């Protein structure tokens, strides 16, 4: 059957011999791509009388949507909270390097910093599509400085702030601009936080609850004002208690507004969260889990001293230390079904950000950002807009 070019002159590529994640299950099917978009083969065959210009044998690989990381502080020597004159080149380096990890879109994350740092860095973060140059930038995630000193974690205490009388104006003055901001993490128990949550939500900015000593009632009130995310569940918040489960209780709360879903970030490295706790969270609220790396500048580098915003961290093997306290190890962990893990790294973050119509799925007409993985979920190749942007050298097609 000849290819019909009346709709588009671009070539049609058919990916064969693969298992596609679609409709919450892996299914044997072909993936059709043109102009950076996933095609409906029925429309192609019957409406356009078209066929493939190129066929690629995937050798039995899994094809899944590209991963979306909404909390990544840096990597490969680049610290997103460190103001430098060549900050954009750092973004470029990280966006290129994370392609090998299957990340096709991400939110550069800044930890608690002085206003001068936000004023210098945020104008240099450009929202952009991904491509051969690297993963797409969805906007900044600002984790702080409006958080609890009691649950500061690795954040510098001297930079932590509360809201002044005109709370939202105070926030804007602190950050300097909200043009590139996609997520703001704050502690909902801070006075005047409700006003801020409402104003951020009005502007399409996702509000996340974290680094907080909020009780369940305060967390529920924040959700009723528009908050939709929890930053690294279980970490830097009150521990679950049967009399008041705190922010964790949002996973099963009956006071979530109708039609609203609360998502929660999960660092599934076996260190930040015990696998048993991870399974409890998933069984309580499976459609809300969002896998994040929470990676820092030392990701991809040897042991040694690196930065995390205003602080110096020491990497020793798998662990990172600040003032002698074990903090982080970044890795994706397989702890459940393949389909569940893949959706938590792709579909759910897309839903959190309201971009599931074009990202996080392999549905027809969505962006052709996808991965080829082996049965152990090792990334074999990464595609953005239907173009191969990274491939494991040992894999030949």
């Amino acid at each position: 059957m000849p290819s019909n070019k009346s709709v588009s002159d671009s070539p049609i590529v058919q990916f064969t011999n693969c298992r596609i994640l679609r409709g919450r299950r892996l299914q044997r099917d072909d993936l059709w791509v043109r102009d950076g978009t996933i095609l409906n083969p029925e429309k192609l065959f019957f409406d356009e009388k078209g066929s493939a210009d190129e066929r690629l044998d995937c050798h039995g690989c899994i094809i899944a949507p590209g991963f979306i990381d909404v909390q990544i502080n840096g990597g490969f020597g680049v610290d997103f909270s460190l103001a430098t004159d060549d900050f954009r080149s750092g973004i470029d380096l990280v966006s290129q390097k994370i392609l090998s990890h299957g990340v096709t879109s991400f939110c550069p994350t800044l930890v608690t910093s002085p206003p001068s740092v936000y004023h210098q860095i945020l104008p240099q973060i450009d929202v952009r599509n991904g491509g051969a140059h690297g993963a797409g930038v969805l906007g900044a995630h600002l984790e702080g400085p409006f958080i609890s000193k009691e649950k500061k974690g690795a954040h510098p205490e001297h930079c932590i702030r509360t809201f002044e009388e005109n709370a939202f104006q105070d926030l804007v003055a602190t950050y300097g601009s909200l043009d590139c901001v996609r997520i703001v993490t704050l502690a909902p128990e801070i006075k005047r936080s409700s006003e801020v949550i409402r104003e951020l939500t009005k502007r399409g900015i996702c509000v996340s609850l974290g680094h907080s000593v909020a009780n369940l009632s305060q967390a529920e009130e924040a959700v009723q004002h528009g908050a939709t995310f929890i930053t690294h569940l279980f970490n830097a918040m009150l521990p679950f208690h049967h009399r008041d489960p705190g922010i964790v209780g949002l996973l099963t709360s009956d006071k979530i507004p109708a039609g609203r879903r609360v998502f929660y970030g999960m660092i599934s490295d076996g260190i930040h969260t015990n696998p048993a706790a991870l399974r409890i969270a998933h069984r309580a609220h499976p459609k809300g889990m969002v896998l994040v790396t929470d990676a820092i500048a030392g990701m991809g580098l040897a042991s040694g001293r690196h930065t995390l915003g205003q602080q110096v961290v020491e990497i020793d093997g798998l662990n990172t230390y600040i003032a002698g306290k074990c903090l982080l190890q970044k890795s994706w962990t397989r702890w459940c079904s393949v389909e569940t893990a893949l959706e938590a790294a792709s579909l759910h973050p897309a839903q959190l950000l309201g971009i599931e119509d074009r990202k996080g799925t392999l549905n027809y007409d969505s962006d052709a950002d996808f991965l080829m993985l082996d049965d152990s979920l090792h990334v074999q190749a990464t595609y953005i807009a239907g173009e191969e942007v990274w491939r494991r050298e040992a894999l030949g097609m």
Side-chain angles (χ1 to χ4, degrees):
M1 182 188 299
S3 177
N4 185 330
K5 298 299 183 183
S6 62
V7 174
S8 172
D9 289 330
S10 300
I12 298 167
V13 182
Q14 178 186 6
F15 295 82
T16 66
N17 188 18
C18 52
R19 290 163 290 160
I20 298 175
L21 180 64
R22 185 177 282 154
R24 302 191 183 279
R25 65 187 182 90
L26 289 173
Q27 48 190 286
R28 286 277 179 187
D29 202 351
D30 294 347
L31 187 73
W32 298 75
V33 174
R34 179 178 60 196
D35 283 331
T37 301
I38 296 173
L39 292 178
N40 181 340
E42 289 190 4
K43 289 185 177 179
L44 174 66
F45 300 152
F46 298 112
D47 296 349
E48 300 182 36
K49 310 300 183 197
S51 63
D53 297 292
E54 182 182 358
R55 290 182 176 83
L56 290 177
D57 186 342
C58 299
H59 303 288
C61 279
I62 294 169
I63 291 187
F67 297 153
I68 300 171
D69 194 351
V70 300
Q71 187 174 6
I72 172 172
N73 306 288
F76 314 100
V78 176
D79 183 350
F80 294 147
S81 301
L82 195 61
T84 60
D85 293 334
D86 61 345
F87 181 84
R88 282 191 174 93
S89 66
I91 288 272
D92 292 344
L93 175 65
V94 173
S95 66
Q96 202 281 324
K97 291 282 191 181
I98 60 180
L99 295 175
S100 65
H101 298 271
V103 177
T104 54
S105 301
F106 70 109
C107 292
T109 304
L110 281 69
V111 297
T112 294
S113 303
S116 60
V117 170
Y118 296 116
H119 296 176
Q120 185 172 347
I121 289 177
L122 292 182
Q124 298 186 71
I125 297 179
D126 302 311
V127 176
R128 68 190 189 196
N129 294 325
H133 58 275
V137 177
L138 299 172
H141 178 171
L142 305 182
E143 188 185 359
F146 302 100
I147 59 174
S148 166
K149 289 185 178 181
E150 294 176 58
K151 293 295 180 180
K152 65 182 186 296
H155 292 233
E157 184 170 336
H158 69 279
C159 295
I160 292 174
R161 299 170 61 96
T162 56
F163 292 116
E164 300 297 335
E165 189 66 35
N166 296 310
F168 184 69
Q169 287 73 22
D170 182 32
L171 176 138
V172 173
T174 299
Y175 294 146
S177 171
L178 297 177
D179 290 346
C180 71
V181 177
R182 201 59 183 264
I183 304 172
V184 171
T185 292
L186 55 77
E189 71 275 13
I190 295 177
K191 191 176 181 181
R192 305 184 185 93
S193 64
S194 295
E195 171 197 335
V196 170
I197 293 170
R198 287 194 301 268
E199 292 297 326
L200 288 172
T201 302
K202 268 193 227 175
R203 289 160 174 78
I205 296 172
C206 169
V207 175
S208 186
L209 311 181
H211 289 276
S212 166
V213 293
N215 58 36
L216 178 57
S217 177
Q218 291 168 324
E220 289 171 334
E221 182 180 357
V223 171
Q224 288 157 10
H225 287 298
T228 55
F229 193 39
I230 303 171
T231 296
H232 44 51
L233 185 74
F234 297 123
N235 290 275
M237 61 187 62
L238 293 178
F240 179 89
H241 190 279
H242 63 284
R243 294 189 185 277
D244 191 333
I247 290 176
V248 178
L250 290 175
L251 272 63
T252 56
S253 171
D254 60 359
K255 292 183 172 57
I256 306 300
R260 177 89 45 86
R261 187 190 308 181
V262 174
F263 295 88
Y264 55 96
M266 183 66 71
I267 310 170
S268 61
D269 57 8
I271 296 174
H272 277 78
T273 309
N274 185 283
L278 190 152
R279 287 191 290 270
I280 289 172
H282 177 257
R283 290 174 186 175
H285 186 26
K287 293 183 179 180
M289 180 174 285
V290 173
L291 291 178
V292 299
T293 60
D294 201 16
I296 63 170
M299 177 179 69
L301 302 181
S303 297
R305 295 173 72 83
H306 304 281
T307 62
L308 177 58
Q310 307 302 301
Q311 305 199 80
V312 175
V313 299
E314 183 80 27
I315 294 181
D316 179 12
L318 295 180
N319 298 321
T320 301
Y321 298 92
I322 294 179
K325 294 184 180 179
C326 177
L327 281 180
L328 312 173
Q329 158 60 15
K330 321 301 178 298
S331 66
W332 298 100
T333 304
R334 295 173 295 282
W335 40 266
C336 58
S337 73
V338 168
E339 295 89 343
T340 296
L342 293 175
E343 289 195 339
S346 56
L347 174 62
H348 296 173
Q351 291 172 329
L352 166 69
L353 298 177
I355 56 173
E356 69 273 19
D357 60 326
R358 55 191 176 89
K359 303 285 186 187
T361 77
L362 298 178
N363 293 339
Y364 303 138
D365 299 321
S366 63
D367 293 348
D369 297 354
F370 60 90
L371 315 173
M372 291 184 187
L373 308 112
D374 64 18
D375 287 342
S376 297
L377 299 189
H378 296 132
V379 179
Q380 303 300 303
T382 303
Y383 286 75
I384 294 180
E387 299 293 330
E388 182 184 295
V389 293
W390 181 85
R391 176 174 294 276
R392 188 174 297 280
E393 290 182 3
L395 185 69
M397 289 188 188

